[in-house]
Amino acid sequence: MQAATMDPAEEPPSMLWGLDPIFSSFAKLYIRDILQMTESTQVPGIYFYNLHPVYKVDVLGTVVYKREREDFFCYGVDDGTGVINCLCWKNDLMKEEADPEKSGGKHSDGAQGGFNPVAELKKLREAQQSRCRLEIGELLRVRGTVKTSRQQREIMASIYYKVNDPLMAVQIAWMMDVPQLYRQCYDKTFQLQPDATSDSAVTSLGKATNIIKDFLKERSVTRFRPYDVQDLLQPLISSQRQTASADQEPVAGPSACQQLRQLLKEALQILQDEGIIYRKVKSPDIVYYVTAQDKDLLIAVKDIIREDSKREKYAEKGCHILHILSAVRQRYSLNVSKAALELVLKSLECNSDIVSTSDSHYTVF
């Protein structure tokens, strides 16, 4: 494959890459995305996924081919989205395995009936061999740096080992963890604000949103009206007016009450956009329901997936998220957003009530 490169105008400055936590961690990316990442024009060997600088990855997959040389193994690893070469270097114990007389014989009769260094070293070699020498069809975990060699993307392993997973517990945990990392980290574009100060980085709107989130979580609120949380934001308005009046002359503008209502309106809109709250029925009496606490919504979504998964059309892959959303709006509430539904699906999946068969399809056990 020919390594793609980024437009220098789009690429973040290299001196700011360290501000992205993904840069210093092993990114659990799908092999498909590793193969399609664009290479940096500033520093060779650094790649970008959604403007996140990446050079170390963590992969779990099945060995589909192998090649052994004197100093290394080359495994082809398939995670279901693609296949990538993993170059796994042998350590000293595995190299000495080919020449057992190199370290044997000198201490074989050193301590009869007691600790035998040669025998223990032999056991260590055998354990190392069983963990690092894999056959086709076995499960391999690899951590290492991404390289491009002879126009082929590959992983230079720093850690690799065979995963014994007869009950598929490791693979199921991996399949639940990786999509969540994509939603929360990898698919969110890396944005820097190098000129922002600590005070301006966290705006009043962000503070207001966090205050309401914390209140809903701590009190396990199921539903509320705007005036139930309005007073929580009053200190933000008071501090803003005190800061402004200290350095500026009084000017005509919105009153404190108007600013409070506007701040509350914007904060509630953000929570709706994130799917944390929603309005079941739009009426003059504004009532917001907390998505995670709405048991009726969780039951409705679960019932829809259970019933529709029995239909021949959805029996194999399960129900698509857009189909579930349409059914929820028909049977439960027209105002349920896709973001709110995603939170419900995540909650049901964590409780093992449903399982995702792909990124967007769900079914019941």
Side-chain angles (χ1 to χ4, degrees):
M1 99 173 227
Q2 181 66 39
T5 57
M6 288 191 67
D7 184 350
E10 298 179 358
E11 188 175 318
S14 59
M15 64 183 300
L16 300 178
W17 291 349
L19 298 177
D20 189 340
I22 297 176
F23 179 68
S24 57
S25 63
F26 287 92
K28 291 184 177 181
L29 294 171
Y30 294 120
I31 290 177
R32 171 195 61 205
D33 295 328
I34 296 175
L35 296 174
Q36 294 177 354
M37 287 192 302
T38 54
E39 188 170 11
S40 169
T41 57
Q42 302 177 59
V43 181
I46 304 296
Y47 302 86
F48 285 92
Y49 176 79
N50 203 15
L51 294 184
H52 292 288
V54 175
Y55 74 99
K56 300 186 297 183
V57 294
D58 191 349
V59 169
L60 178 71
T62 304
V63 176
V64 294
Y65 68 83
K66 60 173 292 187
R67 189 170 70 249
E68 183 176 357
R69 295 291 183 266
E70 181 180 355
D71 294 328
F72 64 87
F73 298 103
C74 183
Y75 294 115
V77 180
D78 184 355
D79 70 345
T81 67
V83 180
I84 192 169
N85 289 337
C86 297
L87 197 63
C88 304
W89 295 95
K90 296 180 180 179
N91 60 15
D92 294 337
L93 288 177
M94 298 196 70
K95 291 179 183 178
E96 291 177 6
E97 178 194 352
D99 187 13
E101 296 182 357
K102 183 178 181 180
S103 58
K106 294 183 178 179
H107 305 285
S108 59
D109 55 352
Q112 294 182 355
F115 177 76
N116 190 333
V118 176
E120 295 301 322
L121 186 58
K122 183 179 179 181
K123 293 179 182 178
L124 182 59
R125 288 198 190 100
E126 292 173 351
Q128 183 74 20
Q129 178 184 1
S130 66
R131 295 282 281 175
C132 298
R133 191 185 297 275
L134 286 84
E135 301 298 332
I136 292 176
E138 293 182 320
L139 196 64
L140 177 65
R141 175 84 177 268
V142 179
R143 282 186 166 193
T145 55
V146 182
K147 301 290 184 183
T148 301
S149 176
R150 298 178 181 177
Q151 298 185 353
Q152 293 289 329
R153 193 72 51 84
E154 62 186 19
I155 299 174
M156 298 282 289
S158 55
I159 299 174
Y160 70 98
Y161 56 89
K162 179 172 68 175
V163 178
N164 295 318
D165 191 25
L167 300 179
M168 301 188 71
V170 176
Q171 296 176 73
I172 291 173
W174 185 276
M175 287 187 292
M176 293 183 65
D177 186 31
V178 173
Q180 184 175 354
L181 287 172
Y182 267 84
R183 286 191 293 265
Q184 296 181 355
C185 303
Y186 306 148
D187 285 342
K188 292 185 177 179
T189 304
F190 178 43
Q191 295 180 343
L192 292 170
Q193 296 179 346
D195 298 329
T197 62
S198 58
D199 292 333
S200 61
V202 183
T203 63
S204 297
L205 182 57
K207 291 180 180 179
T209 305
N210 291 332
I211 288 173
I212 298 176
K213 283 182 181 178
D214 293 340
F215 172 77
L216 299 177
K217 184 176 180 180
E218 291 172 3
R219 302 293 181 88
S220 298
V221 178
T222 57
R223 61 180 183 176
F224 66 95
R225 291 175 171 82
Y227 58 74
D228 294 329
V229 296
Q230 181 171 298
D231 292 342
L232 298 174
L233 310 184
Q234 183 63 50
L236 297 177
I237 300 299
S238 301
S239 61
Q240 276 185 350
R241 295 179 70 86
Q242 290 175 2
T243 303
S245 61
D247 300 327
Q248 299 177 1
E249 297 181 359
V251 295
S255 64
C257 185
Q258 291 174 327
Q259 291 180 1
L260 180 59
R261 284 197 293 267
Q262 182 62 27
L263 180 62
L264 176 62
K265 180 181 178 181
E266 293 177 358
L268 292 176
Q269 184 60 51
I270 289 178
L271 294 176
Q272 285 190 87
D273 294 340
E274 294 178 356
I276 296 174
I277 62 175
Y278 77 100
R279 293 178 62 185
K280 184 180 294 186
V281 179
K282 290 189 177 180
S283 65
D285 182 20
I286 302 176
V287 179
Y288 291 98
Y289 286 78
V290 182
T291 305
Q293 299 292 335
D294 191 348
K295 304 301 181 185
D296 293 337
L297 178 58
L298 267 69
I299 293 173
V301 173
K302 183 179 176 181
D303 290 343
I304 289 170
I305 297 175
R306 180 189 295 111
E307 294 172 6
D308 290 1
S309 294
K310 297 177 182 178
R311 297 165 57 183
E312 183 179 355
K313 181 179 179 180
Y314 306 108
E316 182 177 352
K317 295 185 64 176
C319 302
H320 193 275
I321 186 172
L322 295 180
H323 167 76
I324 301 171
L325 180 61
S326 176
V328 169
R329 288 175 173 174
Q330 291 177 7
R331 307 179 197 179
Y332 187 75
S333 172
L334 288 171
N335 303 314
V336 176
S337 65
K338 184 179 178 183
L341 178 61
E342 288 174 345
L343 291 180
V344 172
L345 293 172
K346 177 182 175 182
S347 176
L348 291 173
E349 190 173 8
C350 289
N351 293 332
S352 299
D353 293 321
I354 62 173
V355 61
S356 58
T357 57
S358 67
D359 289 343
S360 303
H361 291 80
Y362 298 86
T363 187
V364 294
F365 285 106

